[in-house]
Structure formats: C-alpha cells, structure tokens
C-alpha cells in the first residue's frame, strides 16, 4: 500500500472576485520509505501541495489517501489528529519558540498529543532525539544562542518527537550556507535510510533536489516530471 495517493488534486484560492487556481489536477503516489524531492519554480504550487499533504489545508477537489484513508473531506479536528500522529514538519525559518530551551522545544509537541507516556519518559525520549541530531551538549540553549544549522537540527528533533511516518521539509536549507545545508541533507538521508522515515523535501534548488532518489517537478500547478535518479544512495535496496 502507498503511504500517499493523490488523485486529480486541485486547489483554487478564492481572493474576493478573483479565483486563483494553483493546483490543476495532481495525481501521484509515494510509497512508505521513499525520499522524494518536490521541486519547481517559485509560485509553481510546492508549498500549497505540501500544506495539503501535511493536512494543514484541504483540496478544492480530488482525493487524498493517506495511509489507506481518504481524508480530503476530513474536519480540521480530524486533520489535526492525523498531523499529530503521522506527520512531522520542518520549515525554512525553523519556527522554534524563542526564550525556550532547545530540549523544551523538542518536548513541546508531546504535551499536546494523546499518548500514555509520563513526563519523565517524554524527557528521556526527547533527550535521545537531541543526541541523535548531534546536540546532546546544547539541550539548555535557547534558539537565539544556536547557529542556523543547530536550530534546524532542533526543529528536526522536534518534528520526530511524535514518531511520524512522514517528514515534510519545506525549503529546510533555504536559510543555511552550503556546508550546513549539506549536513542537514545528510541527516535527512540518514533518517530515511536507518529509520525508514518517508521524507518529502520541498526545494526550488536543483542542487538540493539532487540529494533525493526521486524528483517530482511542478510547473504551473501540474506535474511536469517525476523521475528516479540513479546513484543517489538515499533510499531502497542497493541498485
Ligand atoms: P511555491 O511554494 O512553489 O513557491 P506556493 O504554493 O507558495 O508556491 O504558491 C503558489 C501560488 O499560490 C502563488 O501564486 C501564491 O501567490 C498563491 N498562494 C499561495 N498561498 C496562498 C493563499 N493562502 N491565498 C492565496 N494565494 C495563495
Ligand atoms: Mg514555497
């Protein structure tokens, strides 16, 4: 079964008198454990599609099957629950809470989700994630006391805290220098390979997209291409 199946997805924004069609019939599937880059020029609809995939918004028409359930008509409450249970987000601007320690930023989503773990267990699990992203010695630092790359690592740890199946990263390296970008991409590749995490990386930069095994390109709200690249060791068995 595919983790994601989209059928004829359309999204139109209504701005007063004007209709702005942004997605014009997208059909695609993404299997569990894939590492996919979603690329295309600025304004081609990447973030709109990511917001739909991340259950932050719903399509104007079409079907969205997530993990075997059709959710295009789900209520905002149901979508919030799906997000919590299934999806982690990483953004260009890190979106960390200021004046809050890195560790508390990572723990935060757990305090909003339904699970049977104690506060102590939450802390151990979040500490473990901080160590896995290489920030075991930065737990008590506030975002302003961390570099951009370190802040994005915290954001990745936070995105993983609810054990999502799907990680959506919208331009995650957009504010980072090239060396730090490379480190963040390697981290995402590692999570994909070792944990089987499904990763969808949104980027307008072909050099960044080249880190994914599969590259989907949008043009004017339509799929312009969908190709598997060889010689990128980002997912699946040896080729
Ligand atoms: P990308 O991420 O590929 O740059 P977006 O999905 O952000 O593209 O935007 C696609 C088009 O939709 C743009 O023309 C943008 O101005 C418009 N758009 C995006 N979000 C909204 C919104 N919430 N309301 C109205 N128009 C929007
Ligand atoms: Mg965008």
């Amino acid at each position: 079964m595919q983790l994601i199946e989209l059928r004829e997805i359309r999204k139109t924004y209504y701005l007063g008198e004007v209709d702005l069609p942004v997605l014009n019939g997208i059909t695609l599937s993404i299997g569990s454990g894939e590492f996919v880059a979603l690329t295309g020029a600025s304004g081609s609809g990447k973030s709109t599609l990511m917001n739909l995939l991340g259950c932050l918004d719903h399509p104007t028409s079409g079907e969205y099957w997530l993990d075997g359930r059709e959710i295009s008509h789900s209520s905002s409450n149901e979508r919030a629950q799906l997000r919590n249970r299934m999806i982690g987000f990483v953004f260009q601007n890190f979106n960390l809470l200021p004046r809050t320690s890195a560790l508390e930023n990572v723990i935060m989503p757990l305090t909003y989700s339904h699970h049977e773990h104690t506060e102590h267990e939450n802390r151990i699990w979040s500490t473990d994630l901080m160590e896995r992203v290489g920030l075991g010695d930065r737990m008590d630092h506030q975002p302003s006391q961390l570099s951009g790359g370190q802040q994005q690592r915290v954001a990745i740890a936070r995105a993983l805290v609810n054990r999502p199946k799907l990680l959506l990263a919208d331009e995650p390296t957009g504010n980072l220098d090239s060396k730090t970008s490379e480190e963040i991409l390697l981290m995402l590749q590692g999570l994909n390979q070792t944990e089987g995490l499904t990763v969808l990386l949104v980027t307008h930069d072909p050099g960044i997209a080249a880190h994914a095994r599969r590259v989907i390109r949008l043009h004017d709200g339509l799929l312009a291409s969908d190709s598997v690249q060889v010689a990128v060791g980002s997912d699946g068995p040896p080729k």
Side-chain angles (χ1 to χ4, degrees):
M1 187 181 66
Q2 302 286 351
L3 181 60
I4 289 171
E5 275 196 63
L6 302 181
R7 299 197 187 133
E8 278 298 313
I9 288 285
R10 291 170 188 273
K11 179 71 182 179
T12 298
Y13 293 114
Y14 299 100
L15 307 162
E17 303 287 287
V18 192
D19 291 357
L20 182 66
V22 172
L23 299 177
N24 301 314
I26 304 274
T27 298
L28 64 86
S29 12
I30 296 175
S32 193
E34 283 199 70
F35 190 117
V36 181
L38 176 63
T39 186
S42 176
S44 57
K46 302 183 296 296
S47 293
T48 298
L49 183 56
M50 199 199 81
N51 289 344
L52 296 179
L53 290 172
C55 305
L56 293 162
D57 200 357
H58 54 82
T60 307
S61 66
E63 295 176 13
Y64 176 12
W65 293 79
L66 176 62
D67 207 23
R69 261 182 73 193
E70 209 286 310
I71 57 163
S72 60
H73 299 287
S74 296
S75 68
S76 56
N77 234 334
E78 289 168 323
R79 279 190 271 123
Q81 282 180 28
L82 280 167
R83 275 202 304 278
N84 241 317
R85 201 162 55 74
M86 302 263 309
I87 304 170
F89 292 91
V90 176
F91 300 98
Q92 177 169 359
N93 295 321
F94 322 133
N95 289 5
L96 300 176
L97 290 173
R99 293 179 295 282
T100 305
S101 76
L103 183 62
E104 292 300 330
N105 264 282
V106 174
I107 291 174
M108 195 68 68
L110 287 173
T111 60
Y112 294 109
S113 60
H114 302 283
H115 55 71
E116 60 272 33
H117 301 292
T118 65
E119 212 182 307
H120 181 63
E121 287 167 331
N122 287 348
R123 197 160 280 272
I124 291 175
W125 169 234
S126 304
T127 303
D128 180 46
L129 283 171
M130 280 291 284
E131 278 161 3
R132 274 166 45 195
V133 299
L135 291 175
D137 56 351
R138 292 290 188 277
M139 307 268 187
D140 296 327
H141 282 57
Q142 296 183 9
S144 63
Q145 300 167 328
L146 296 169
S147 70
Q150 289 171 334
Q151 290 185 59
Q152 196 58 300
R153 284 164 188 264
V154 175
I156 290 171
R158 179 185 56 184
L160 298 177
V161 79
N162 275 315
R163 298 179 168 81
K165 288 192 177 180
L166 173 64
L167 185 75
L168 296 176
D170 195 349
E171 306 276 3
T173 62
N175 285 344
L176 304 175
D177 61 64
S178 58
K179 179 168 170 287
T180 311
S181 296
E182 192 69 25
E183 286 166 14
I184 293 293
L185 290 166
L186 280 174
M187 175 162 290
L188 295 178
Q189 286 177 333
L191 289 164
N192 169 254
Q193 279 165 359
T194 59
E195 324 269 322
L197 182 69
T198 308
V199 178
L200 184 72
L201 172 73
V202 179
T203 179
H204 68 281
D205 180 339
I208 302 286
H211 288 74
R213 194 158 111 76
R214 176 176 171 197
V215 179
I216 294 172
R217 194 165 59 84
L218 286 187
H219 181 70
D220 289 345
L222 286 169
L223 273 194
S225 65
D226 183 350
S227 57
V228 172
Q229 327 191 80
V230 285
V232 177
S234 59
D235 70 340
K239 291 160 279 287

mmCIF file with all atom_site columns, all heavy atoms in Angstrom, residues 60-77:
data_model
loop_
_atom_site.group_PDB
_atom_site.id
_atom_site.type_symbol
_atom_site.label_atom_id
_atom_site.label_alt_id
_atom_site.label_comp_id
_atom_site.label_asym_id
_atom_site.label_entity_id
_atom_site.label_seq_id
_atom_site.pdbx_PDB_ins_code
_atom_site.Cartn_x
_atom_site.Cartn_y
_atom_site.Cartn_z
_atom_site.occupancy
_atom_site.B_iso_or_equiv
_atom_site.pdbx_formal_charge
_atom_site.auth_seq_id
_atom_site.auth_comp_id
_atom_site.auth_asym_id
_atom_site.auth_atom_id
_atom_site.pdbx_PDB_model_num
ATOM 1   N N   . THR A 1 60 ? -9.508  21.646 -3.053 1.00 0.00 ? 60 THR A N   1
ATOM 2   C CA  . THR A 1 60 ? -10.785 22.088 -3.604 1.00 0.00 ? 60 THR A CA  1
ATOM 3   C C   . THR A 1 60 ? -11.534 20.888 -4.185 1.00 0.00 ? 60 THR A C   1
ATOM 4   O O   . THR A 1 60 ? -12.740 20.772 -4.040 1.00 0.00 ? 60 THR A O   1
ATOM 5   C CB  . THR A 1 60 ? -10.539 23.152 -4.696 1.00 0.00 ? 60 THR A CB  1
ATOM 6   O OG1 . THR A 1 60 ? -9.721  24.186 -4.132 1.00 0.00 ? 60 THR A OG1 1
ATOM 7   C CG2 . THR A 1 60 ? -11.832 23.750 -5.198 1.00 0.00 ? 60 THR A CG2 1
ATOM 8   N N   . SER A 1 61 ? -10.800 19.995 -4.835 1.00 0.00 ? 61 SER A N   1
ATOM 9   C CA  . SER A 1 61 ? -11.394 18.739 -5.286 1.00 0.00 ? 61 SER A CA  1
ATOM 10  C C   . SER A 1 61 ? -10.303 17.695 -5.446 1.00 0.00 ? 61 SER A C   1
ATOM 11  O O   . SER A 1 61 ? -9.113  18.019 -5.410 1.00 0.00 ? 61 SER A O   1
ATOM 12  C CB  . SER A 1 61 ? -12.157 18.930 -6.605 1.00 0.00 ? 61 SER A CB  1
ATOM 13  O OG  . SER A 1 61 ? -11.241 19.255 -7.634 1.00 0.00 ? 61 SER A OG  1
ATOM 14  N N   . GLY A 1 62 ? -10.713 16.459 -5.620 1.00 0.00 ? 62 GLY A N   1
ATOM 15  C CA  . GLY A 1 62 ? -9.767  15.359 -5.754 1.00 0.00 ? 62 GLY A CA  1
ATOM 16  C C   . GLY A 1 62 ? -9.695  14.550 -4.474 1.00 0.00 ? 62 GLY A C   1
ATOM 17  O O   . GLY A 1 62 ? -10.286 14.922 -3.465 1.00 0.00 ? 62 GLY A O   1
ATOM 18  N N   . GLU A 1 63 ? -8.980  13.421 -4.563 1.00 0.00 ? 63 GLU A N   1
ATOM 19  C CA  . GLU A 1 63 ? -8.868  12.522 -3.414 1.00 0.00 ? 63 GLU A CA  1
ATOM 20  C C   . GLU A 1 63 ? -7.462  12.525 -2.854 1.00 0.00 ? 63 GLU A C   1
ATOM 21  O O   . GLU A 1 63 ? -6.487  12.546 -3.598 1.00 0.00 ? 63 GLU A O   1
ATOM 22  C CB  . GLU A 1 63 ? -9.206  11.079 -3.837 1.00 0.00 ? 63 GLU A CB  1
ATOM 23  C CG  . GLU A 1 63 ? -10.626 10.906 -4.276 1.00 0.00 ? 63 GLU A CG  1
ATOM 24  C CD  . GLU A 1 63 ? -10.880 9.485  -4.772 1.00 0.00 ? 63 GLU A CD  1
ATOM 25  O OE1 . GLU A 1 63 ? -10.037 8.590  -4.541 1.00 0.00 ? 63 GLU A OE1 1
ATOM 26  O OE2 . GLU A 1 63 ? -11.931 9.298  -5.411 1.00 0.00 ? 63 GLU A OE2 1
ATOM 27  N N   . TYR A 1 64 ? -7.386  12.492 -1.541 1.00 0.00 ? 64 TYR A N   1
ATOM 28  C CA  . TYR A 1 64 ? -6.099  12.338 -0.858 1.00 0.00 ? 64 TYR A CA  1
ATOM 29  C C   . TYR A 1 64 ? -6.203  11.130 0.072  1.00 0.00 ? 64 TYR A C   1
ATOM 30  O O   . TYR A 1 64 ? -6.923  11.174 1.064  1.00 0.00 ? 64 TYR A O   1
ATOM 31  C CB  . TYR A 1 64 ? -5.766  13.608 -0.062 1.00 0.00 ? 64 TYR A CB  1
ATOM 32  C CG  . TYR A 1 64 ? -4.479  13.534 0.768  1.00 0.00 ? 64 TYR A CG  1
ATOM 33  C CD1 . TYR A 1 64 ? -3.561  12.494 0.608  1.00 0.00 ? 64 TYR A CD1 1
ATOM 34  C CD2 . TYR A 1 64 ? -4.181  14.511 1.699  1.00 0.00 ? 64 TYR A CD2 1
ATOM 35  C CE1 . TYR A 1 64 ? -2.398  12.436 1.353  1.00 0.00 ? 64 TYR A CE1 1
ATOM 36  C CE2 . TYR A 1 64 ? -3.009  14.466 2.459  1.00 0.00 ? 64 TYR A CE2 1
ATOM 37  C CZ  . TYR A 1 64 ? -2.129  13.419 2.285  1.00 0.00 ? 64 TYR A CZ  1
ATOM 38  O OH  . TYR A 1 64 ? -0.979  13.342 3.041  1.00 0.00 ? 64 TYR A OH  1
ATOM 39  N N   . TRP A 1 65 ? -5.509  10.070 -0.306 1.00 0.00 ? 65 TRP A N   1
ATOM 40  C CA  . TRP A 1 65 ? -5.442  8.870  0.527  1.00 0.00 ? 65 TRP A CA  1
ATOM 41  C C   . TRP A 1 65 ? -4.139  8.914  1.312  1.00 0.00 ? 65 TRP A C   1
ATOM 42  O O   . TRP A 1 65 ? -3.057  8.951  0.738  1.00 0.00 ? 65 TRP A O   1
ATOM 43  C CB  . TRP A 1 65 ? -5.486  7.614  -0.342 1.00 0.00 ? 65 TRP A CB  1
ATOM 44  C CG  . TRP A 1 65 ? -6.806  7.414  -1.042 1.00 0.00 ? 65 TRP A CG  1
ATOM 45  C CD1 . TRP A 1 65 ? -7.227  8.047  -2.178 1.00 0.00 ? 65 TRP A CD1 1
ATOM 46  C CD2 . TRP A 1 65 ? -7.858  6.542  -0.631 1.00 0.00 ? 65 TRP A CD2 1
ATOM 47  N NE1 . TRP A 1 65 ? -8.489  7.611  -2.500 1.00 0.00 ? 65 TRP A NE1 1
ATOM 48  C CE2 . TRP A 1 65 ? -8.906  6.683  -1.583 1.00 0.00 ? 65 TRP A CE2 1
ATOM 49  C CE3 . TRP A 1 65 ? -8.030  5.645  0.433  1.00 0.00 ? 65 TRP A CE3 1
ATOM 50  C CZ2 . TRP A 1 65 ? -10.097 5.970  -1.480 1.00 0.00 ? 65 TRP A CZ2 1
ATOM 51  C CZ3 . TRP A 1 65 ? -9.212  4.927  0.518  1.00 0.00 ? 65 TRP A CZ3 1
ATOM 52  C CH2 . TRP A 1 65 ? -10.231 5.099  -0.432 1.00 0.00 ? 65 TRP A CH2 1
ATOM 53  N N   . LEU A 1 66 ? -4.262  8.934  2.617  1.00 0.00 ? 66 LEU A N   1
ATOM 54  C CA  . LEU A 1 66 ? -3.081  8.914  3.480  1.00 0.00 ? 66 LEU A CA  1
ATOM 55  C C   . LEU A 1 66 ? -3.138  7.650  4.321  1.00 0.00 ? 66 LEU A C   1
ATOM 56  O O   . LEU A 1 66 ? -4.095  7.459  5.089  1.00 0.00 ? 66 LEU A O   1
ATOM 57  C CB  . LEU A 1 66 ? -3.051  10.160 4.373  1.00 0.00 ? 66 LEU A CB  1
ATOM 58  C CG  . LEU A 1 66 ? -1.911  10.229 5.405  1.00 0.00 ? 66 LEU A CG  1
ATOM 59  C CD1 . LEU A 1 66 ? -0.551  10.258 4.724  1.00 0.00 ? 66 LEU A CD1 1
ATOM 60  C CD2 . LEU A 1 66 ? -2.070  11.443 6.316  1.00 0.00 ? 66 LEU A CD2 1
ATOM 61  N N   . ASP A 1 67 ? -2.152  6.782  4.134  1.00 0.00 ? 67 ASP A N   1
ATOM 62  C CA  . ASP A 1 67 ? -2.084  5.543  4.900  1.00 0.00 ? 67 ASP A CA  1
ATOM 63  C C   . ASP A 1 67 ? -3.411  4.767  4.825  1.00 0.00 ? 67 ASP A C   1
ATOM 64  O O   . ASP A 1 67 ? -3.888  4.244  5.829  1.00 0.00 ? 67 ASP A O   1
ATOM 65  C CB  . ASP A 1 67 ? -1.745  5.886  6.361  1.00 0.00 ? 67 ASP A CB  1
ATOM 66  C CG  . ASP A 1 67 ? -1.016  4.732  7.060  1.00 0.00 ? 67 ASP A CG  1
ATOM 67  O OD1 . ASP A 1 67 ? -0.404  3.906  6.355  1.00 0.00 ? 67 ASP A OD1 1
ATOM 68  O OD2 . ASP A 1 67 ? -1.075  4.672  8.306  1.00 0.00 ? 67 ASP A OD2 1
ATOM 69  N N   . GLY A 1 68 ? -3.983  4.754  3.614  1.00 0.00 ? 68 GLY A N   1
ATOM 70  C CA  . GLY A 1 68 ? -5.171  3.927  3.394  1.00 0.00 ? 68 GLY A CA  1
ATOM 71  C C   . GLY A 1 68 ? -6.508  4.587  3.698  1.00 0.00 ? 68 GLY A C   1
ATOM 72  O O   . GLY A 1 68 ? -7.543  3.939  3.585  1.00 0.00 ? 68 GLY A O   1
ATOM 73  N N   . ARG A 1 69 ? -6.478  5.853  4.069  1.00 0.00 ? 69 ARG A N   1
ATOM 74  C CA  . ARG A 1 69 ? -7.739  6.552  4.376  1.00 0.00 ? 69 ARG A CA  1
ATOM 75  C C   . ARG A 1 69 ? -7.904  7.757  3.476  1.00 0.00 ? 69 ARG A C   1
ATOM 76  O O   . ARG A 1 69 ? -6.957  8.504  3.272  1.00 0.00 ? 69 ARG A O   1
ATOM 77  C CB  . ARG A 1 69 ? -7.700  7.076  5.822  1.00 0.00 ? 69 ARG A CB  1
ATOM 78  C CG  . ARG A 1 69 ? -8.404  6.223  6.808  1.00 0.00 ? 69 ARG A CG  1
ATOM 79  C CD  . ARG A 1 69 ? -8.328  6.870  8.182  1.00 0.00 ? 69 ARG A CD  1
ATOM 80  N NE  . ARG A 1 69 ? -9.176  8.043  8.308  1.00 0.00 ? 69 ARG A NE  1
ATOM 81  C CZ  . ARG A 1 69 ? -9.086  8.912  9.335  1.00 0.00 ? 69 ARG A CZ  1
ATOM 82  N NH1 . ARG A 1 69 ? -8.169  8.746  10.262 1.00 0.00 ? 69 ARG A NH1 1
ATOM 83  N NH2 . ARG A 1 69 ? -9.917  9.920  9.413  1.00 0.00 ? 69 ARG A NH2 1
ATOM 84  N N   . GLU A 1 70 ? -9.099  7.955  2.956  1.00 0.00 ? 70 GLU A N   1
ATOM 85  C CA  . GLU A 1 70 ? -9.349  9.130  2.114  1.00 0.00 ? 70 GLU A CA  1
ATOM 86  C C   . GLU A 1 70 ? -9.712  10.290 3.027  1.00 0.00 ? 70 GLU A C   1
ATOM 87  O O   . GLU A 1 70 ? -10.677 10.216 3.780  1.00 0.00 ? 70 GLU A O   1
ATOM 88  C CB  . GLU A 1 70 ? -10.473 8.820  1.120  1.00 0.00 ? 70 GLU A CB  1
ATOM 89  C CG  . GLU A 1 70 ? -10.348 9.615  -0.171 1.00 0.00 ? 70 GLU A CG  1
ATOM 90  C CD  . GLU A 1 70 ? -10.722 11.078 -0.031 1.00 0.00 ? 70 GLU A CD  1
ATOM 91  O OE1 . GLU A 1 70 ? -11.812 11.373 0.510  1.00 0.00 ? 70 GLU A OE1 1
ATOM 92  O OE2 . GLU A 1 70 ? -9.916  11.935 -0.435 1.00 0.00 ? 70 GLU A OE2 1
ATOM 93  N N   . ILE A 1 71 ? -8.924  11.349 2.987  1.00 0.00 ? 71 ILE A N   1
ATOM 94  C CA  . ILE A 1 71 ? -9.080  12.388 4.013  1.00 0.00 ? 71 ILE A CA  1
ATOM 95  C C   . ILE A 1 71 ? -9.362  13.787 3.448  1.00 0.00 ? 71 ILE A C   1
ATOM 96  O O   . ILE A 1 71 ? -9.291  14.765 4.174  1.00 0.00 ? 71 ILE A O   1
ATOM 97  C CB  . ILE A 1 71 ? -7.813  12.467 4.897  1.00 0.00 ? 71 ILE A CB  1
ATOM 98  C CG1 . ILE A 1 71 ? -6.574  12.742 4.052  1.00 0.00 ? 71 ILE A CG1 1
ATOM 99  C CG2 . ILE A 1 71 ? -7.632  11.193 5.693  1.00 0.00 ? 71 ILE A CG2 1
ATOM 100 C CD1 . ILE A 1 71 ? -5.408  13.221 4.885  1.00 0.00 ? 71 ILE A CD1 1
ATOM 101 N N   . SER A 1 72 ? -9.728  13.846 2.155  1.00 0.00 ? 72 SER A N   1
ATOM 102 C CA  . SER A 1 72 ? -9.918  15.192 1.582  1.00 0.00 ? 72 SER A CA  1
ATOM 103 C C   . SER A 1 72 ? -11.091 15.927 2.223  1.00 0.00 ? 72 SER A C   1
ATOM 104 O O   . SER A 1 72 ? -11.160 17.152 2.171  1.00 0.00 ? 72 SER A O   1
ATOM 105 C CB  . SER A 1 72 ? -10.087 15.119 0.069  1.00 0.00 ? 72 SER A CB  1
ATOM 106 O OG  . SER A 1 72 ? -11.204 14.328 -0.252 1.00 0.00 ? 72 SER A OG  1
ATOM 107 N N   . HIS A 1 73 ? -12.025 15.182 2.823  1.00 0.00 ? 73 HIS A N   1
ATOM 108 C CA  . HIS A 1 73 ? -13.168 15.844 3.458  1.00 0.00 ? 73 HIS A CA  1
ATOM 109 C C   . HIS A 1 73 ? -13.093 15.832 4.980  1.00 0.00 ? 73 HIS A C   1
ATOM 110 O O   . HIS A 1 73 ? -14.082 16.143 5.642  1.00 0.00 ? 73 HIS A O   1
ATOM 111 C CB  . HIS A 1 73 ? -14.479 15.188 2.993  1.00 0.00 ? 73 HIS A CB  1
ATOM 112 C CG  . HIS A 1 73 ? -14.687 15.299 1.518  1.00 0.00 ? 73 HIS A CG  1
ATOM 113 N ND1 . HIS A 1 73 ? -15.032 16.475 0.897  1.00 0.00 ? 73 HIS A ND1 1
ATOM 114 C CD2 . HIS A 1 73 ? -14.546 14.385 0.530  1.00 0.00 ? 73 HIS A CD2 1
ATOM 115 C CE1 . HIS A 1 73 ? -15.117 16.269 -0.402 1.00 0.00 ? 73 HIS A CE1 1
ATOM 116 N NE2 . HIS A 1 73 ? -14.814 15.017 -0.651 1.00 0.00 ? 73 HIS A NE2 1
ATOM 117 N N   . SER A 1 74 ? -11.946 15.452 5.523  1.00 0.00 ? 74 SER A N   1
ATOM 118 C CA  . SER A 1 74 ? -11.836 15.390 6.982  1.00 0.00 ? 74 SER A CA  1
ATOM 119 C C   . SER A 1 74 ? -12.004 16.776 7.599  1.00 0.00 ? 74 SER A C   1
ATOM 120 O O   . SER A 1 74 ? -11.618 17.781 7.011  1.00 0.00 ? 74 SER A O   1
ATOM 121 C CB  . SER A 1 74 ? -10.475 14.831 7.387  1.00 0.00 ? 74 SER A CB  1
ATOM 122 O OG  . SER A 1 74 ? -10.354 13.497 6.953  1.00 0.00 ? 74 SER A OG  1
ATOM 123 N N   . SER A 1 75 ? -12.544 16.797 8.802  1.00 0.00 ? 75 SER A N   1
ATOM 124 C CA  . SER A 1 75 ? -12.704 18.063 9.524  1.00 0.00 ? 75 SER A CA  1
ATOM 125 C C   . SER A 1 75 ? -11.337 18.570 9.979  1.00 0.00 ? 75 SER A C   1
ATOM 126 O O   . SER A 1 75 ? -10.359 17.821 9.989  1.00 0.00 ? 75 SER A O   1
ATOM 127 C CB  . SER A 1 75 ? -13.590 17.845 10.750 1.00 0.00 ? 75 SER A CB  1
ATOM 128 O OG  . SER A 1 75 ? -12.902 17.039 11.683 1.00 0.00 ? 75 SER A OG  1
ATOM 129 N N   . SER A 1 76 ? -11.285 19.817 10.394 1.00 0.00 ? 76 SER A N   1
ATOM 130 C CA  . SER A 1 76 ? -9.992  20.350 10.829 1.00 0.00 ? 76 SER A CA  1
ATOM 131 C C   . SER A 1 76 ? -9.506  19.637 12.092 1.00 0.00 ? 76 SER A C   1
ATOM 132 O O   . SER A 1 76 ? -8.310  19.449 12.292 1.00 0.00 ? 76 SER A O   1
ATOM 133 C CB  . SER A 1 76 ? -10.060 21.859 11.031 1.00 0.00 ? 76 SER A CB  1
ATOM 134 O OG  . SER A 1 76 ? -11.068 22.177 11.924 1.00 0.00 ? 76 SER A OG  1
ATOM 135 N N   . ASN A 1 77 ? -10.450 19.187 12.907 1.00 0.00 ? 77 ASN A N   1
ATOM 136 C CA  . ASN A 1 77 ? -10.086 18.393 14.081 1.00 0.00 ? 77 ASN A CA  1
ATOM 137 C C   . ASN A 1 77 ? -9.437  17.063 13.713 1.00 0.00 ? 77 ASN A C   1
ATOM 138 O O   . ASN A 1 77 ? -8.402  16.681 14.268 1.00 0.00 ? 77 ASN A O   1
ATOM 139 C CB  . ASN A 1 77 ? -11.356 18.086 14.873 1.00 0.00 ? 77 ASN A CB  1
ATOM 140 C CG  . ASN A 1 77 ? -11.208 18.512 16.309 1.00 0.00 ? 77 ASN A CG  1
ATOM 141 O OD1 . ASN A 1 77 ? -10.080 18.561 16.805 1.00 0.00 ? 77 ASN A OD1 1
ATOM 142 N ND2 . ASN A 1 77 ? -12.313 18.804 16.955 1.00 0.00 ? 77 ASN A ND2 1
#
